[in-house]
Amino acid sequence: MAEEAEGGVPEEILSLWEREQAQLKARVVDRDTEEWQREPAFSGLRRVGGVDLSFVKGDCARACASLVVLSYPELEVLYEDNQLVSLSTPYVPGFLAFREVPFLRDAMQRLRDTKPSLVPQAGFGVACHLGILTDLPCIGVAKKLLQVDGLENNALHRERMQLLHAGGDSFPLMGESRTVLGMALRSHDRSTNPLYVSVGHKVSLQTAVRLTHSCCRFRIPEPVRQADIRSREHIRRTLGLPAAPEPAPKRSQKVHPKGNLEETLD
DNA sequence: GCGACAG
DNA sequence: ATCTTGTCGC
């Protein structure tokens, strides 16, 4: 039988993925390709997309894949597509896209088929993989540092985090290969934990960071946050479980209604 | 002493 | 990813 090294994935599949990744990497465009990306306030940008998968509690295979499209700069949901899917591939660090991207690509295709006018001009929530497959500008967004190419959440890293004082502050993630793999970004004034913005497709890292910041009402960029919320909600409604947890009317601090746009537009 | 590693 | 309440701070 085939030996299984990573997460129960046969070596044969793993080497297939490695080759596929190398081919995709060669096709990545890591610079700005759209006019609006050069604009100080991204004028011309009207729609941003977000993707996410939420998983069924006791199930390692079933999940809900969600694609949402938000208006920009209002960040209001214009479109959502939630699809219950069955995952065939286990999670392997470094190969996340092979597990999740097929369903997101399908969702994007459904959008192109049914409502082409709502196709987003930029996508959040996955790195370059989906960008290559859809030919759309995409940005990678993670809540935790992917420890690869020598990147480590060590003392030095945490020290640099301390130096991020205001929303929009960032520092580069330099791998051992002397390649900048992404940026740690303080996405909001009231958020200590940085966001990890990785090199995507058809957008420069600098623009990716600026755009991500401008889409953050909270720590997580609104497109991804809405995809996350709506994918979980879809699971709850579909596989009906306990009643909807009514969010107690907590006192809400004075939050800027439209994220960090003020700073961006200043 | 355990386990560290995007989701 | 998911299991989970209250609690601290603005």
Side-chain angles (χ1 to χ4, degrees):
Chain A
M1 303 302 285
E3 56 270 54
E4 299 180 353
E6 301 276 357
V9 176
E11 285 293 347
E12 182 184 347
I13 302 295
L14 219 47
S15 64
L16 194 68
W17 285 354
E18 284 166 356
R19 266 179 285 143
E20 178 68 12
Q21 267 185 345
Q23 291 174 358
L24 289 168
K25 184 177 179 181
R27 297 171 57 189
V28 170
V29 176
D30 60 354
R31 33 180 197 78
D32 293 326
T33 61
E34 316 298 308
E35 284 300 323
W36 56 262
Q37 294 170 339
R38 304 268 179 200
E39 297 292 325
F42 297 120
S43 64
L45 176 62
R46 305 297 305 281
R47 298 173 309 281
V48 292
V51 293
D52 191 46
L53 268 71
S54 289
F55 292 79
V56 177
K57 188 162 41 179
D59 199 324
C60 60
R62 282 197 299 174
C64 176
S66 175
L67 164 66
V68 301
V69 180
L70 278 59
S71 62
Y72 188 94
E74 298 82 5
L75 301 180
E76 283 158 8
V77 177
L78 302 175
Y79 173 89
E80 72 175 295
D81 176 344
N82 298 295
Q83 195 83 24
L84 279 176
V85 300
S86 189
L87 303 186
S88 50
T89 312
Y91 167 64
V92 181
F95 299 95
L96 174 66
F98 289 95
R99 173 167 159 87
E100 302 193 349
V101 144
F103 307 101
L104 303 173
R105 186 191 55 74
D106 289 349
M108 190 64 75
Q109 191 56 51
R110 282 194 293 275
L111 175 55
R112 281 179 154 148
D113 290 342
T114 60
K115 306 204 169 184
S117 66
L118 288 182
V119 170
Q121 292 161 286
F124 293 81
V126 286
C128 43
H129 203 127
L130 183 61
I132 298 288
L133 297 187
T134 62
D135 201 35
L136 288 173
C138 276
I139 297 171
V141 176
K143 297 189 284 291
K144 292 186 295 188
L145 178 65
L146 172 58
Q147 310 207 174
V148 69
D149 193 18
L151 293 182
E152 217 181 336
N153 192 6
N154 54 23
L156 174 59
H157 180 80
R158 289 191 294 272
E159 198 174 303
R160 286 174 160 173
M161 285 172 51
Q162 307 280 348
L163 300 177
L164 302 177
H165 291 124
D169 289 354
S170 63
F171 64 84
L173 304 168
M174 174 85 71
E176 281 175 343
S177 61
R178 305 301 295 164
T179 304
V180 175
L181 299 169
M183 301 278 276
L185 166 71
R186 180 158 179 162
S187 63
H188 201 280
D189 285 337
R190 291 163 291 279
S191 179
T192 295
N193 239 342
L195 204 61
Y196 297 96
V197 176
S198 60
V199 172
H201 181 54
K202 288 189 164 185
V203 55
S204 68
L205 189 51
Q206 180 190 3
T207 298
V209 166
R210 191 164 66 93
L211 180 58
T212 300
H213 179 230
S214 80
C215 287
C216 286
R217 301 171 62 172
F218 304 99
R219 177 173 177 244
I220 306 300
E222 202 57 18
V224 179
R225 183 169 165 269
Q226 287 302 325
D228 175 73
I229 291 171
R230 286 156 197 265
S231 57
R232 319 175 115 80
E233 179 63 12
H234 187 264
I235 287 178
R236 195 193 61 71
R237 303 194 309 259
T238 306
L239 309 175
L241 280 171
E246 180 68 31
K250 283 180 181 278
R251 286 173 291 109
S252 62
Q253 53 185 310
K254 184 193 174 193
V255 171
H256 297 296
K258 301 307 174 186
N260 292 310
L261 294 171
E262 291 83 353
E263 291 105 86
T264 300
L265 296 170
D266 275 346

